[in-house]
Amino acid sequence: MLNAKNRIAAIEQELLQLTPEEHYFGEYYNTYAQAPRNEVKGLSSQKILSLWLEYEQYAQQENKLGLLQKISILFRFNRSALKVFLQAPELVIPYLQRQFYVVRRQELTDERAQLEKKLEQYAFDEKMAELTEKSLRLFRAELSKKFHWQKPRQRFEMRDFRAKSKEFNHEYPVILSTTYSIKGTLNFEHIYDYLIVDEASQVDLATGVLAFASAKNIVIVGDLQQLPNVLDSQNTQKSEEIWKRYSLPESYHFSAHSLLSSAISAWPEAPMVLLREHYRCHPKIINFCNQKFYGGKLIVMTEDHEEPDVLTMYRTAPGNHARDHLNQRQIDVIRLEVLPRLAKQGYESIGIITPYRDQVAAIQTQLGKELEVATVHKFQGREKDAIILTSVDNIITKFVDDPRMLNVAVSRAVKSLTVVTSQDPQNDRTNYGDLARYIEYNNCAVIESTVYSVFDLLYQGYAEQRRSFLKKHKRVSEYDSENLLYAVIQEILQKAEFSFVDCAAHVSLVNLVKDYSILTEEETTYARNPLTHVDFLLFRRMDKSPLLAIEVDGVAFHAAGSLQASRDEKKNRIFERCGMPLLRLRTDGSGEKERIEQALLAAVSNNR
């Protein structure tokens, strides 16, 4: 039943991502004047993706279906699917894309309803209460065997903590302390069975290791995506002096590692458990952190009831508003616009988070001490119904843009997140820029550009079907050259500076070009053909906006004067008119990794 609960949460998460994608795709599909003559019925979403892939293969070969092929399609799909092979690609492929969204939404809705009915009949909440109550009974029964309630408890004095440590720990088996003092709480020689270190990302390596010396077994709890321990300049200087003096493994680099990161590095084989279920934030709030920092691994257990204004961003008017670590204009926005709106919505539990102490002091002075205002570091481990995040900087600095700081700040908000930031275009290339794109995208704001959004759920699903279709491990194409380049791209995207970028393979131009008025009639016909692909598309994960298209050019196939060469020229002109960079890599060239990185950096720099 817990699995059913988790599955419902996963369904809600997928529906949350599906909704804006379906909205944007609907805008694109409405540009088509007519639908296919025959509709496809009775197929699952995965079958529709398979049919789409098979139809593409058929359309590219430009051959008629043989009898055996027809029988195969009939058995694997159905009669309505067979009829689509008699129609034009520019009608069939967009139609199949639309059907995917319609059918997938219905599948998810039906599965959710079935699970909810199952849970309703099971009386889940009552069973959880029963489980909790019985567990507590068992626990108390075990305690009663060890601590006889009718007998007087042994009493201790302060000196007994060290003089009678074993007896004290037997009578009081759970000791709470800090990593700084656990070694000296009882006798220095006393050894605990287990030491549990919580918030280990904030524990420095030296005190953590000293704490380890007091136990036989250790359990380390923490999150690398949250804030690490803060070192002052004196400690940093001393640790670097020691580091240079002795040849120590990187795992024990004091100023570079927290206790958590050091342990993960030193003991890569130690068992690790990810606490996936998230119970605090509204799904739209935590899904930003989930996509941006946790690779989509979290299971969001909260529910979206289509509440208004869950995510809001205020951009101050252009200008130099920040002075050192204080931004008066952002404070004015909070006072005049943000707080009245939150008060109207009925939020009483409101917190204001900022990177700098100067901004904290100014807000408290101007807006009153009753408001809870603190730096990100002070707010870690806490929460409020509504959080206001003020970035302060005109041009967001490396310190403010720390992904761990942003992760902590965003995830403090339970029901509402308001971000107040500056309008400088350079901020678009920061983590705050990704947050802005995420907010706009999930509020279904339309980005006025000459290229269309990529719908990652659809294309990632299509990529999975393609891999299955090709029956080769981690292959996205029947061409080895494309598979080799895809591996290189995936390696590049593992770098921290490209954490906001994703890759889709074999994307149709018809899903990229939005404004056909800038193309010639010949270019429009070519771009409108769903079989006209770009080999790889790199795009921003938060709002699916394209950054860089990559083509792999086989030397013989793309030889000068060939039909494919003329198509390449046509595609080049289309991308140039749309203002979107296209990188071509010949299979007889070299330095592909460096060229992709340079082109992607340039695209990110120019894309605002």
Side-chain angles (χ1 to χ4, degrees):
M1 293 301 167
L2 282 169
N3 286 339
K5 275 274 191 183
N6 284 358
R7 179 56 192 153
I8 289 174
I11 289 170
E12 294 287 359
Q13 202 166 318
E14 188 172 340
L15 284 169
L16 196 66
Q17 295 178 62
L18 195 71
T19 298
E21 291 175 14
E22 191 174 9
H23 167 81
Y24 288 123
F25 185 82
E27 289 187 341
Y28 150 68
Y29 191 77
N30 288 338
T31 63
Y32 277 81
Q34 63 181 111
R37 294 189 302 274
N38 304 106
E39 290 192 357
V40 174
K41 297 178 181 179
L43 295 182
S44 68
S45 61
Q46 293 305 305
K47 283 279 189 180
I48 289 170
L49 287 177
S50 295
L51 178 61
W52 170 17
L53 177 61
E54 189 143 339
Y55 178 86
E56 272 198 353
Q57 298 282 323
Y58 157 76
Q60 288 171 343
Q61 292 168 2
E62 299 179 350
N63 295 326
K64 289 186 177 182
L65 288 176
L67 179 60
L68 288 177
Q69 287 177 299
K70 289 179 181 178
I71 293 172
S72 174
I73 291 167
L74 196 61
F75 274 101
R76 286 183 293 113
F77 301 105
N78 58 28
R79 187 180 296 274
S80 66
L82 185 59
K83 291 179 179 179
V84 305
F85 286 84
L86 304 175
Q87 301 178 66
E90 56 269 20
L91 297 179
V92 172
I93 292 177
Y95 168 73
L96 291 177
Q97 291 174 312
R98 190 193 69 170
Q99 283 300 102
F100 169 84
Y101 281 113
V102 173
V103 173
R104 185 59 182 155
R105 176 174 291 279
Q106 192 60 51
E107 287 174 345
L108 292 170
T109 304
D110 290 346
E111 184 183 359
R112 180 179 60 186
Q114 290 173 3
L115 291 169
E116 287 173 344
K117 186 176 181 181
K118 179 181 177 181
L119 287 169
E120 184 181 344
Q121 293 171 347
Y122 183 73
F124 183 87
D125 292 339
E126 289 82 353
K127 289 291 183 182
M128 278 299 293
E130 181 184 341
L131 176 63
T132 303
E133 195 253 339
K134 287 183 175 179
S135 298
L136 190 56
R137 279 195 206 173
L138 285 170
F139 180 59
R140 286 172 172 165
E142 289 297 317
L143 285 179
S144 69
K145 292 177 184 178
K146 184 171 182 178
F147 304 101
H148 299 287
W149 60 274
Q150 291 178 320
K151 295 180 180 180
R153 297 285 300 274
Q154 185 177 354
R155 302 187 66 169
F156 297 92
E157 298 180 5
M158 283 287 290
R159 62 174 179 269
D160 294 330
F161 288 169
R162 292 184 178 175
K164 300 179 180 178
S165 294
K166 187 175 181 180
E167 294 88 340
F168 180 82
N169 199 191
H170 180 78
E171 187 70 17
Y172 296 96
V174 180
I175 307 294
L176 303 181
S177 182
T178 66
T179 50
Y180 285 91
S181 58
I182 187 64
K183 185 66 178 170
T185 301
L186 301 184
N187 189 292
F188 283 105
E189 303 301 319
H190 183 73
I191 300 295
Y192 300 93
D193 291 322
Y194 277 88
L195 175 73
I196 303 172
V197 183
D198 195 15
E199 295 288 359
S201 66
Q202 295 188 71
V203 177
D204 73 83
L205 187 54
T207 55
V209 168
L210 287 173
F212 283 0
S214 65
K216 299 175 185 176
N217 304 281
I218 52 177
V219 179
I220 306 167
V221 185
D223 185 352
L224 287 177
Q225 302 304 325
Q226 296 207 2
L227 292 168
N229 57 302
V230 179
L231 299 178
D232 58 30
S233 57
Q234 185 178 5
N235 276 328
T236 302
Q237 183 180 349
K238 285 183 178 179
S239 72
E240 289 303 313
E241 288 174 359
I242 294 170
W243 181 253
K244 291 173 183 176
R245 194 181 310 154
Y246 303 100
S247 299
L248 298 174
E250 174 60 30
S251 301
Y252 307 121
H253 194 166
F254 180 83
S255 58
H257 278 293
S258 67
L259 177 66
L260 178 62
S261 62
S262 177
I264 291 172
S265 176
W267 302 318
E269 303 303 320
M272 295 177 64
V273 177
L274 174 66
L275 304 180
R276 299 177 64 195
E277 291 87 355
H278 179 91
Y279 292 92
R280 181 171 62 240
C281 306
H282 188 282
K284 284 184 179 176
I285 295 173
I286 196 60
N287 204 39
F288 169 75
C289 301
N290 193 19
Q291 291 186 46
K292 176 75 177 168
F293 307 116
Y294 295 102
K297 294 177 183 176
L298 298 182
I299 297 175
V300 182
M301 303 301 288
T302 52
E303 296 181 3
D304 177 25
H305 299 292
E306 299 185 1
E307 298 91 339
D309 303 323
V310 173
L311 296 163
T312 309
M313 174 169 279
Y314 286 85
R315 285 194 177 104
T316 57
N320 182 25
H321 304 303
R323 297 293 183 274
D324 294 325
H325 295 156
L326 192 152
N327 190 316
Q328 183 59 46
R329 180 60 60 86
Q330 291 188 14
I331 297 174
D332 293 341
V333 169
I334 293 171
R335 177 171 55 87
L336 298 172
E337 297 179 294
V338 181
L339 288 175
R341 178 179 62 83
L342 293 177
K344 190 179 294 184
Q345 292 173 343
Y347 291 115
E348 295 179 358
S349 171
I350 300 173
I352 302 177
I353 299 178
T354 174
Y356 299 114
R357 283 176 290 185
D358 290 351
Q359 187 83 339
V360 170
I363 292 173
Q364 288 177 330
T365 300
Q366 297 179 43
L367 304 184
K369 296 285 185 180
E370 63 276 4
L371 275 171
E372 192 153 0
V373 189
T375 61
V376 185
H377 290 80
K378 293 283 187 182
F379 241 104
Q380 181 153 310
R382 298 160 65 192
E383 64 184 51
K384 291 288 183 181
D385 284 347
I387 286 291
I388 303 167
L389 173 60
T390 162
S391 64
V392 181
D393 293 341
N394 288 323
I395 300 173
I396 291 173
T397 58
K398 186 176 180 181
F399 170 74
V400 171
D401 200 42
D402 186 322
R404 293 166 297 187
M405 283 180 62
L406 186 59
N407 181 35
V408 170
V410 170
S411 59
R412 299 310 95 196
V414 176
K415 299 177 181 177
S416 170
L417 174 69
T418 303
V419 183
V420 183
T421 187
S422 301
Q423 205 176 102
D424 195 288
Q426 294 183 60
N427 293 338
D428 291 346
R429 303 194 293 272
T430 65
N431 292 313
Y432 274 80
D434 275 347
L435 179 57
R437 279 180 281 275
Y438 176 84
I439 290 172
E440 290 172 348
Y441 184 66
N442 280 277
N443 285 344
C444 297
V446 178
I447 300 170
E448 295 297 330
S449 66
T450 55
V451 292
Y452 216 76
S453 295
V454 176
F455 317 107
D456 63 344
L457 188 69
L458 180 61
Y459 281 104
Q460 285 169 4
Y462 172 70
E464 289 302 317
Q465 289 293 103
R466 188 177 187 87
R467 290 192 189 105
S468 175
F469 182 83
L470 294 169
K471 295 180 181 178
K472 295 175 182 176
H473 297 296
K474 296 183 179 179
R475 293 173 67 88
V476 294
S477 171
E478 57 267 40
Y479 300 110
D480 288 335
S481 56
E482 292 181 9
N483 291 311
L484 288 169
L485 190 68
Y486 182 71
V488 172
I489 292 172
Q490 291 304 311
E491 183 182 345
I492 292 170
L493 297 189
Q494 294 301 311
K495 294 191 173 184
E497 61 265 39
F498 301 129
S499 62
F500 60 92
V501 181
D502 210 340
C503 174
H506 299 271
V507 178
S508 297
L509 257 64
V510 74
N511 290 332
L512 292 174
V513 179
K514 184 179 181 182
D515 184 3
Y516 286 91
S517 66
I518 60 177
L519 304 183
T520 66
E521 185 177 345
E522 182 187 17
E523 290 165 351
T524 298
T525 302
Y526 182 67
R528 280 277 195 185
N529 186 342
L531 299 178
T532 304
H533 289 104
V534 62
D535 292 334
F536 299 102
L537 185 73
L538 305 185
F539 59 94
R540 293 183 186 271
R541 188 179 288 116
M542 289 301 112
D543 66 349
K544 319 303 179 289
S545 56
L547 287 168
L548 175 67
I550 301 175
E551 288 275 81
V552 182
D553 294 344
V555 177
F557 190 56
H558 294 260
S562 66
L563 175 62
Q564 187 58 43
S566 67
R567 290 173 178 168
D568 291 345
E569 286 299 320
K570 205 178 299 179
K571 191 180 290 185
N572 292 346
R573 291 196 302 271
I574 291 169
F575 274 87
E576 187 176 352
R577 292 182 197 278
C578 291
M580 182 177 167
L582 171 64
L583 175 65
R584 289 193 174 276
L585 300 171
R586 287 172 57 90
T587 53
D588 62 348
S590 60
E592 289 80 12
K593 184 177 179 182
E594 291 75 17
R595 291 182 62 191
I596 294 171
E597 285 190 23
Q598 291 171 6
L600 183 54
L601 286 170
V604 171
S605 177
N606 294 328
N607 187 280
R608 298 181 177 177

